[in-house]
Amino acid sequence: MKQFIKKFFVVYIVVVMVFFSNFNSAFAKQYEKVYLISLSLQSIVNSILENVKSLLPGVRTDEYKEKYFNLLKELAQLKIAEQEKIFLQSLELIKSKYPDSVEVKKISSGFGLIYAGFKKNVKEGSIVVDENWILIGKVRKVLKNYIEIISLNYPGLQFNVANLDGKLVGLANTTGLGYIEVNFTEPDIKIKTGDLLITAGNDEIFPKGFLVGEVIRIEQKPNFQRLIISPLGNFDSDKFIVIQ
């Protein structure tokens, strides 16, 4: 009798396991189908709410970490999408302000200076951008057969930068080391790594609205913040656009 009950119990457990295995498999396929179809903002919001719900007490540590990082990732994606939308809108506005532009081809470069040949008239002080209209620098000299461009990789350039909302962040200083410093940013200015910065204007160097780079490090000081910016322009490109 005991052996019969034991065998019956084992068979019962196997049947239950098979049932739930099939249920989970079917559920996973259905979930995958829904996920692939729905790429709207609503799906992201629902996912975030689900992650928040899982952070309630009683969740295991490993599950907590996974859900937490998923939440951060989705929030970061939303922020990136928002920044890209704002930038594209400002880019169209900039292009409408500068209908006259001249394409120049790079001859050589070094130590933050770029030399390029040109066919049309180019003026000293003109702004230079890459093919995506990201800031490269400005024309310093116009010679007979070529122009000299002082780029953001040249040390000593100082100009104002702002966030995508147009709020002044501080005075940027090019270092010649592949990054830009922004010293003495007010401590109450909310900024984080990954934020994009644009030229703020009012400095007689660059006009307002050109994309400069991305914040890659923030150093908190007693009375200010120090930002490290990575320029996003394609300085290795063979051609640039001079905005007149």
Side-chain angles (χ1 to χ4, degrees):
M1 184 64 179
K2 291 182 179 180
Q3 291 181 351
F4 173 79
I5 294 175
K6 185 176 180 180
K7 291 181 179 180
F8 176 81
F9 183 73
V10 171
V11 171
Y12 175 79
I13 294 298
V14 171
V15 171
V16 171
M17 291 177 64
V18 171
F19 172 78
F20 279 103
S21 176
N22 292 332
F23 175 79
N24 290 336
S25 176
F27 179 79
K29 291 179 179 179
Q30 183 66 18
Y31 178 81
E32 182 181 4
K33 179 180 179 181
V34 173
Y35 177 76
L36 292 175
I37 294 175
S38 178
L39 296 177
S40 63
L41 180 61
Q42 186 61 45
S43 66
I44 299 177
V45 173
N46 289 338
S47 179
I48 292 176
L49 292 176
E50 188 66 24
N51 284 329
V52 172
K53 189 185 298 182
S54 69
L55 298 181
L56 296 174
V59 180
R60 292 181 301 178
T61 303
D62 55 344
E63 293 178 353
Y64 173 86
K65 290 181 178 179
E66 181 181 358
K67 296 293 184 180
Y68 176 72
F69 285 115
N70 285 339
L71 175 61
L72 291 180
K73 182 179 179 181
E74 288 166 356
L75 288 174
Q77 290 173 344
L78 284 174
K79 183 61 178 178
I80 292 172
E82 180 185 356
Q83 289 195 85
E84 288 179 347
K85 181 179 179 181
I86 295 174
F87 169 66
L88 289 175
Q89 290 174 345
S90 63
L91 179 59
E92 291 302 318
L93 181 61
I94 289 175
K95 287 184 176 181
S96 66
K97 287 183 178 180
Y98 302 96
D100 298 328
S101 59
V102 178
E103 183 178 293
V104 297
K105 293 186 177 181
K106 182 170 66 176
I107 300 173
S108 63
S109 62
F111 303 103
L113 297 175
I114 300 172
Y115 299 93
F118 64 98
K119 296 181 179 179
K120 296 182 180 180
N121 292 332
V122 174
K123 299 177 182 178
E124 290 185 1
S126 297
I127 307 304
V128 182
V129 297
D130 65 11
E131 293 178 293
N132 296 314
W133 283 64
I134 300 175
L135 186 63
I136 293 296
K138 65 186 306 181
V139 177
R140 185 165 74 169
K141 293 180 181 179
V142 178
L143 303 173
K144 185 177 180 180
N145 298 318
Y146 64 92
I147 59 174
E148 182 184 78
I149 301 169
I150 183 170
S151 77
L152 298 183
N153 286 327
Y154 187 87
L157 283 178
Q158 294 186 329
F159 55 95
N160 296 324
V161 290
N163 59 21
L164 293 183
D165 294 327
K167 184 177 179 60
L168 181 65
V169 171
L171 182 66
N173 299 272
T174 59
T175 63
L177 301 174
Y179 64 88
I180 301 171
E181 295 178 334
V182 182
N183 293 308
F184 308 111
T185 298
E186 295 292 333
D188 59 337
I189 294 180
K190 295 182 179 179
I191 195 165
K192 62 181 181 302
T193 55
D195 283 355
L196 302 178
L197 297 184
I198 60 176
T199 53
N202 298 321
D203 51 27
E204 298 183 355
I205 303 297
F206 298 118
K208 180 180 179 180
F210 289 92
L211 181 60
V212 176
E214 176 185 5
V215 179
I216 59 173
R217 192 168 81 235
I218 302 174
E219 298 176 3
Q220 299 293 342
K221 304 295 182 179
N223 299 315
F224 64 91
Q225 303 178 83
R226 177 175 179 266
L227 313 179
I228 303 299
I229 313 301
S230 175
L232 292 178
N234 183 10
F235 300 93
D236 295 326
S237 176
D238 292 331
K239 55 184 178 180
F240 303 99
I241 300 172
V242 177
I243 300 173
Q244 306 272 50

